[in-house]
Amino acid sequence: MAAAADPAIGRLNHGGYRMRSHCTASLVRPDLAVTAAHCLRRGVDDLHLLLGYAQGDYAEAPPLSGVRVVSVERDQAVLCLAGPAAAVPYPVGAPPRLGEPLTVAGYPAPAVHALTRLDCAVTGLGPGGVFALDCPVRVGASGAPVLRAGAGGPEIVGLIVATSETVSVGYGLDADDLPAPGRDACAGADRKRPPAPRGGEAATGQP
């Protein structure tokens, strides 16, 4: 269902000549966002993160300074901001548990101009942190955060990377894979197109 804009979640626009598409990304630190690696089809100069996006409006935020694939196996990447965003980022939580109720927040079709929140349940767990949810999503939800209502507030437990007619597939987010906090956390991040995740970015089922 459509939800109010969230300044820590944004629409990640990526495009080029005669092409326009988008994914979803979310802040885990004021200067660091996470998304699906297969969303990085182009270099950082063709990526635009619109935090708090809703009906064409979005919050002011520093531009992206670099991108980096942090896990090919889990199809996860980070987006490095040139400075801190004003929004409060989401903490990274423990991996999902079987049967646990969670929420997916993103910009899937057809409501691509408003944040959509879907209430889901974990229906399967697999090796490497993969999990299945009972709420299929559509194009635009790749990289969407999977959120748990923690005691201290919502926390990210994974990212959406694929979908089918009956389930969505995500991977748990490992805080140890993220660049260490600090002034140079994103130093050296690749400004060019990063390598495609295993299986290729055109693999079927990627939302």
Side-chain angles (χ1 to χ4, degrees), residues 16-84:
Y17 180 64
R18 301 182 68 179
M19 185 190 82
R20 182 179 299 171
S21 53
H22 74 275
C23 288
T24 302
S26 50
L27 291 175
V28 290
R29 290 207 300 268
D31 63 348
L32 196 72
V34 289
T35 191
H38 73 258
C39 294
L40 308 184
R41 295 184 172 95
R42 307 183 69 85
V44 66
D45 292 332
D46 292 312
L47 294 170
H48 303 280
L49 177 58
L50 309 180
L51 292 171
Y53 180 82
Q55 305 299 330
D57 293 327
Y58 51 92
E60 290 190 16
L64 298 179
S65 62
V67 298
R68 179 181 291 140
V69 175
V70 296
S71 176
V72 172
E73 291 77 13
R74 292 194 295 275
D75 191 10
Q76 293 175 351
V78 295
L79 308 169
C80 304
L81 280 65

Side-chain angles (χ1 to χ4, degrees), residues 37-41 75 142 161-162 193 195-207:
H38 73 258
C39 294
L40 308 184
R41 295 184 172 95
D75 191 10
S142 283
V161 299
R193 175 177 173 169
R198 187 171 60 189
E201 62 184 42
T204 59
Q206 291 178 339

Side-chain angles (χ1 to χ4, degrees), residues 96-116:
R97 301 180 295 271
L98 190 63
E100 181 180 16
L102 300 170
T103 299
V104 175
Y107 293 89
V112 298
H113 294 290
L115 184 68
T116 296

Side-chain angles (χ1 to χ4, degrees), residues 6 8-9 26-28 34 89-94 96 100-106 115-120 122 131 133 144-150 153-160 173:
D6 185 328
I9 300 175
S26 50
L27 291 175
V28 290
V34 289
Y90 284 104
V92 177
E100 181 180 16
L102 300 170
T103 299
V104 175
L115 184 68
T116 296
R117 291 182 181 269
L118 298 173
D119 294 328
C120 314
V122 180
F131 58 88
L133 301 172
V146 181
L147 304 172
R148 170 188 292 134
E155 55 188 18
I156 295 181
V157 299
L159 301 178
I160 294 296
L173 189 62

